[in-house]
């Protein structure tokens, strides 16, 4: 081990480990990739005490490298030779080598740098016993055993700050070129997630082509699938970002490696252990263990309490591995488990946030991946707030992968949250996806429900013309469905999509009847299924009209549309002003196709109730929108 004289030592060029001076194992510097500050242009500070030490060059233990890791025997032999031990006197046994090494360092002031370590057992024989020696260890792993047993102090090095990243670009590209494009250099640092290696590769590429602009490179990096290819050099494998990632990936156990690949399929910003368990297909306890292992080797970042995330480059790398090493069936099954978990968890939150509304009907949740449960309104609201980016990503992913049922039901299940929190732009975006997905799924009920919610949102935004157009489309669908019910004979087969979902173990309280429906969408006709609503919460008068009776069961006392409140034994609507109520009575058609069906003796009370509710809700919303437009 070559040493440096104290004259060559400067507080600005080497690192000073922290810790108790009575302990020989001073510090563990964790890092991601090659993010040591000396390589990033930020020198390590050095205490005055260490300036009087002999400092050895770092010993590369090749823990995360293209070759095999260095064994303790190999490193000890190199150290002993550097300390002046003749080759014939170097023992062959690792314990004897370690004993001789420690005796030679006893009483000497020495800084020993052990670089690129993959496990604590790789360096334990290399730790001196003398309190006058200092040890710095760099690793991508946390080396928790070293901290627990030897008392090492851990210092985690995060990616560079925006200011440090800009300074690094100035050093490589030149201040003038960086200042010529003030917005481009910030975008470049963002695409490289402020990782020094990625920044250096990108900066060297710009520096090698004086006529190129930073904006041109940023445009290339905008294409995610090509980003890792752009961040590569032609002549040095060790500076290819994908290759450096692979060194950490190849060190994983098979089940941890598969978890890393499957986590790359997640479309959101971060996830918790329950979502990860559904995606990986394991238990929550095992998912926590796997997430901890990936986080300990810096392949995942801890983003908060029980939350984990990739940075962009690692997510792209994990996705590449999933597409290369997992079959399409495995990938789709994993994504479907996760999307189903999100749907059932959102539905559980929706039932807490607004229990009085009619909720989407769902198949039973996967028994091995139960959804989130909530006991209070605040818990449900907080979960929706934290998961909103993931839920929006899940809706888009479901639509892209043609999981149409999830793609239209998830926006519907989010209605209560959007109603309370008013995220208008997000709501409009996901509802448009939901309407299109329901149409592709040949589900007129799903399309009509999402259209009503979309119309309500547009009305609340005072976009009355659009709201009226959307609500009129929904009303036309309701009338078409009711007319088709009248024309089509009913069968007594069980329905594939019940009106009200039941939880696991709950006995259904009604029977549903599938009716073949043909309706026009864009000039083509597609068959679908319409189900009848139970008649247990309604009674029929002598005139044939369904009247509501008081019902304490919210599942039966609710209306067929979000936000509608039906009052027992009363035709009034207290949320409407008297002027609006009068306007509603005046404008409501007396003999519409829906209204005529209400007096059809062949129709049971449940179907009359559902059609009446749909008809009323659309007309109420349309009337309110018309009134607002007239007042503007």
């Amino acid at each position: 081990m070559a040493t440096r004289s104290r004259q060559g030592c400067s507080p600005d060029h080497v690192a000073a480990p922290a810790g108790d001076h009575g302990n020989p194992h001073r510090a563990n510097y964790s890092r991601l990739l090659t993010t040591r500050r000396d390589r990033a242009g930020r020198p390590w500070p050095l205490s005055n005490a260490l300036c009087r030490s002999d400092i050895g060059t770092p010993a590369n233990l090749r823990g995360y490298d293209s070759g095999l890791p260095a064994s303790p025997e190999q490193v000890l032999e190199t150290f002993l030779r550097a300390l002046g031990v003749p080759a014939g006197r170097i023992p062959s046994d690792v314990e004897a080598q370690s004993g001789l090494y420690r005796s030679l360092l006893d009483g000497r002031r020495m800084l020993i740098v052990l670089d690129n370590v993959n496990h604590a057992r790789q360096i334990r024989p290399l730790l001196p016993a003398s309190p006058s020696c200092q040890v710095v260890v760099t690793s991508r792993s946390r080396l928790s055993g070293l901290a627990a047993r030897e008392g090492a102090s851990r210092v985690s090095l995060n990616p560079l700050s925006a200011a440090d990243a800009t300074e690094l670009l100035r050093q490589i590209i030149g201040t003038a070129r960086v200042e010529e494009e003030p917005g481009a250099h910030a975008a470049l640092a963002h695409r490289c997630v402020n990782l020094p290696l990625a920044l250096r590769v990108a900066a060297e590429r710009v520096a090698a082509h004086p006529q190129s602009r930073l904006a041109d490179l940023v445009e290339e990096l905008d294409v995610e699938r090509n980003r890792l290819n752009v961040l590569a050099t032609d002549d040095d494998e060790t500076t290819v970002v994908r290759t450096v990632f692979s060194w950490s990936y190849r060190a994983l156990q098979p089940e941890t490696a598969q978890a890393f690949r499957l986590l790359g399929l997640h479309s959101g910003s971060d996830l918790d252990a329950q979502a990860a368990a559904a995606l990986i297909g394991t238990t929550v306890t095992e998912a926590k263990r796997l997430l901890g292992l990936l986080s300990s080797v810096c392949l995942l970042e801890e983003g908060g309490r029980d939350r984990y995330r990739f940075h962009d480059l690692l997510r792209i790398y994990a996705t590449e591995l999933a597409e290369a090493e997992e079959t399409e069936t495995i990938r789709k099954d994993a994504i479907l488990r996760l999307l189903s978990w999100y749907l059932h968890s959102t539905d559980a939150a929706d039932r807490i946030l607004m229990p009085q509304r009619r909720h989407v009907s769902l198949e039973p949740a996967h028994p091995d991946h139960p959804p989130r449960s909530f006991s209070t309104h605040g818990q449900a609201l907080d979960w929706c707030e934290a998961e909103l980016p993931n839920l929006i990503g899940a809706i888009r992913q479901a639509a892209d992968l043609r999981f149409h049922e999830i793609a239209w039901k998830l926006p519907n299940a989010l209605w209560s949250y959007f109603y309370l929190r008013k995220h208008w732009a997000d709501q409009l975006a996901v509802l448009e996806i939901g309407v299109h997905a329901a149409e592709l799924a040949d589900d007129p009920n799903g399309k009509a429900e999402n259209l009503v919610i979309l119309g309500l949102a547009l009305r609340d935004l005072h976009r009355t013309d659009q709201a009226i157009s959307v609500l009129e489309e929904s009303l036309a669908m309701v009338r078409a469905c009711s007319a088709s019910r009248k024309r089509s004979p009913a069968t007594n087969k069980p329905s594939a999509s019940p009106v009200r979902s039941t939880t696991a173990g709950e006995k259904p309280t009604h029977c549903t009847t599938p009716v073949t429906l043909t309706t026009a969408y864009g000039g083509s006709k597609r068959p679908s299924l319409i189900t009848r609503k139970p008649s247990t919460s309604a009674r029929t008068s002598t005139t044939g009209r369904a009247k509501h009776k008081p019902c304490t069961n919210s599942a039966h006392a609710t209306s067929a549309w979000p936000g509608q409140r039906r009052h027992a034994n009363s035709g009034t609507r207290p949320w409407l002003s008297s002027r609006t109520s009068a306007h509603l009575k005046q404008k409501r058609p007396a003999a519409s196709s829906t209204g005529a069906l209400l007096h059809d003796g062949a129709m049971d009370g449940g179907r009359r109730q559902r059609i009446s509710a749909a008809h009323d809700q659309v007309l109420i919303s349309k009337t309110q929108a018309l009134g607002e437009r007239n007042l503007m």
Side-chain angles (χ1 to χ4, degrees):
M1 179 177 65
T3 60
R4 293 174 55 186
S5 66
R6 64 176 62 97
Q7 287 81 7
C9 174
S10 168
D12 296 329
H13 291 87
V14 279
D20 179 12
H21 286 283
N23 193 306
H25 318 310
R26 292 290 182 253
N28 161 30
Y29 281 78
S30 296
R31 59 173 171 77
L32 178 65
L33 299 181
T34 53
T35 59
R36 291 193 304 267
R37 296 298 191 187
D38 57 340
R39 297 188 182 184
R42 288 292 303 274
W44 285 339
L46 185 66
S47 67
N48 291 332
L50 286 179
C51 282
R52 297 190 295 270
S53 302
D54 292 330
I55 302 173
T57 57
N60 183 8
L61 276 73
R62 303 193 301 273
Y64 299 93
D65 211 329
S66 55
L68 294 174
S71 65
E73 295 92 331
Q74 293 172 318
V75 181
L76 280 171
E77 184 176 344
T78 302
F79 281 179
L80 290 173
R81 288 178 184 275
L83 290 169
V85 178
R89 293 185 54 194
I90 297 177
S92 58
D93 179 70
V94 65
E95 292 185 3
Q97 289 177 349
S98 180
L100 178 59
Y101 163 73
R102 287 169 177 165
S103 64
L104 292 172
L105 293 182
D106 187 41
R108 300 181 64 172
R109 304 184 65 84
M110 187 75 68
L111 175 62
I112 300 162
V113 182
L114 305 176
D115 185 34
N116 201 5
V117 175
N118 70 350
H119 200 280
R121 61 175 173 266
Q122 189 182 21
I123 61 169
R124 281 200 172 104
L126 309 177
L127 300 178
S130 175
S132 60
C133 294
Q134 306 281 338
V135 180
V136 174
V137 178
T138 67
S139 177
R140 301 184 196 183
S141 174
R142 290 177 181 170
L143 300 181
S144 299
L146 199 64
R149 180 173 167 182
E150 279 74 24
S153 301
R154 181 185 298 114
V155 179
S156 297
L157 300 183
N158 297 318
L160 301 178
S161 65
D164 291 340
T166 301
E167 180 60 29
L168 181 58
L169 291 175
R170 283 196 179 101
Q171 292 178 11
I172 301 173
I173 301 173
T175 301
R177 294 187 66 183
V178 170
E179 291 180 352
E180 285 176 2
E181 302 179 75
H185 77 261
L188 178 60
H190 178 71
R191 301 298 185 278
C192 297
V193 292
N194 290 350
L195 292 180
L197 175 62
L199 279 168
R200 283 186 171 276
V201 172
E204 292 288 352
R205 179 168 176 172
V206 174
H209 301 84
Q211 304 305 320
S212 65
R213 300 183 308 132
L214 289 175
D216 296 333
L217 182 57
V218 171
E219 188 175 345
E220 289 187 60
L221 292 171
D222 281 339
V223 183
E224 280 196 355
R225 298 186 67 88
N226 297 333
R227 193 172 297 175
L228 292 179
N229 295 327
V230 174
L231 296 175
T233 56
D234 298 330
D235 55 351
D236 187 357
E237 185 186 30
T238 62
T239 60
V240 177
V241 174
R242 183 186 286 106
T243 301
V244 177
F245 286 157
S246 72
W247 296 340
S248 294
Y249 171 73
R250 289 202 304 265
L252 300 175
Q253 295 297 319
E255 67 275 10
T256 312
Q258 185 180 42
F260 176 76
R261 296 192 297 269
L262 294 179
L263 289 172
L265 301 174
H266 183 247
S267 61
S269 56
D270 62 357
L271 77 172
D272 60 13
Q274 277 192 269
L279 180 58
I280 299 170
T282 187
T283 64
V284 175
T285 302
E286 178 64 10
K288 288 181 178 179
R289 186 185 73 85
L290 294 171
L291 292 170
L293 289 174
L294 292 171
S295 176
S296 70
V297 295
C298 298
L299 290 175
L300 271 182
E301 298 176 0
E302 292 188 30
R305 183 175 177 268
D306 191 34
R307 300 198 73 84
Y308 298 84
R309 66 184 178 218
F310 284 119
H311 67 62
D312 286 348
L313 297 181
L314 274 172
R315 178 177 51 79
I316 295 170
Y317 178 65
T319 305
E320 285 183 356
L321 291 173
E323 292 176 353
E325 301 185 27
E326 302 290 354
T327 65
E328 183 179 1
T329 300
I330 291 177
R331 295 197 305 270
K332 282 197 169 183
D333 287 348
I335 294 172
L336 183 58
R337 286 194 303 267
L338 177 64
L339 296 179
S340 298
W341 184 85
Y342 274 134
L343 175 59
H344 282 86
S345 297
T346 305
D347 179 68
D350 185 46
R351 292 171 185 272
I352 294 293
L353 294 177
M354 202 164 288
Q356 73 273 19
R357 86 177 188 97
R358 191 180 72 85
H359 305 280
V360 294
S361 59
L362 303 178
E363 295 294 329
H366 195 291
D368 295 333
H369 309 295
R372 281 272 188 179
S373 60
F374 309 95
S375 57
T376 66
H377 187 277
Q379 287 180 357
L381 201 59
D382 290 344
W383 183 85
C384 290
E385 192 76 38
E387 296 291 344
L388 181 59
N390 294 327
L391 296 175
I392 293 174
I395 293 168
R396 296 184 186 279
Q397 190 173 34
D400 291 341
L401 296 178
R402 301 182 181 181
F403 295 135
H404 300 311
E405 185 177 2
I406 295 176
W408 79 255
K409 288 186 175 181
L410 194 46
N412 190 301
L414 277 169
W415 181 83
S416 300
Y417 168 73
F418 282 132
Y419 179 80
L420 295 170
R421 282 292 185 257
K422 313 301 183 187
H423 293 285
W424 300 120
D426 291 333
Q427 184 180 20
L428 294 181
V430 299
L431 283 173
E432 288 177 1
I433 295 173
V435 169
H436 184 60
E439 182 175 348
L440 292 176
D442 293 334
D443 193 327
N445 284 333
K447 183 177 180 180
E449 290 192 19
N450 278 357
L451 282 173
V452 169
I453 299 173
L454 180 59
L456 294 175
L458 291 169
R459 186 201 65 192
D460 291 341
L461 286 169
H462 304 291
R463 292 159 61 172
T464 52
D465 290 336
Q466 292 176 273
I468 291 169
S469 175
V470 169
L471 292 170
E472 283 178 342
E473 183 181 359
S474 177
L475 180 59
M477 294 190 65
V478 171
R479 287 172 171 167
C481 291
S482 61
S484 297
R485 282 198 187 97
K486 183 178 180 181
R487 290 193 304 268
S488 302
T491 65
N492 291 320
K493 297 179 181 179
S495 171
S497 44
V499 171
R500 188 179 75 88
S501 64
T502 57
T503 57
E506 180 184 357
K507 294 182 179 180
T509 57
H510 63 279
C511 296
T512 55
T513 304
V515 181
T516 302
L517 170 72
T518 303
T519 185
Y521 290 118
S524 62
K525 294 186 177 181
R526 303 186 179 102
S528 181
L529 285 178
I530 295 296
T531 57
R532 295 194 302 183
K533 182 137 187 201
S535 58
T536 55
S537 61
R539 57 186 176 85
T540 307
S541 67
T542 56
T543 60
R545 177 178 292 273
K547 294 184 179 179
H548 290 267
K549 63 180 180 180
C551 180
T552 57
N553 186 345
S554 62
H556 294 283
T558 58
S559 67
W561 300 103
Q564 182 180 9
R565 298 169 60 190
R566 303 284 299 187
H567 291 265
N569 302 322
S570 173
T572 62
R573 300 180 177 90
W575 67 91
L576 295 178
S577 66
S578 57
R579 177 180 175 183
T580 307
S581 298
H583 182 66
L584 175 62
K585 293 177 181 178
Q586 179 181 1
K587 294 292 184 179
R588 179 171 177 174
S592 66
S593 59
T594 307
L597 282 174
L598 296 176
H599 299 278
D600 183 357
M603 183 180 295
D604 65 86
R607 281 166 67 189
R608 281 193 297 272
Q609 176 188 355
R610 186 179 184 204
I611 294 172
S612 176
H615 184 266
D616 287 352
Q617 178 63 35
V618 174
L619 287 180
I620 290 168
S621 301
K622 182 181 176 183
T623 301
Q624 289 176 334
L626 283 167
E628 290 178 7
R629 186 176 67 176
N630 294 334
L631 292 174
M632 291 177 65

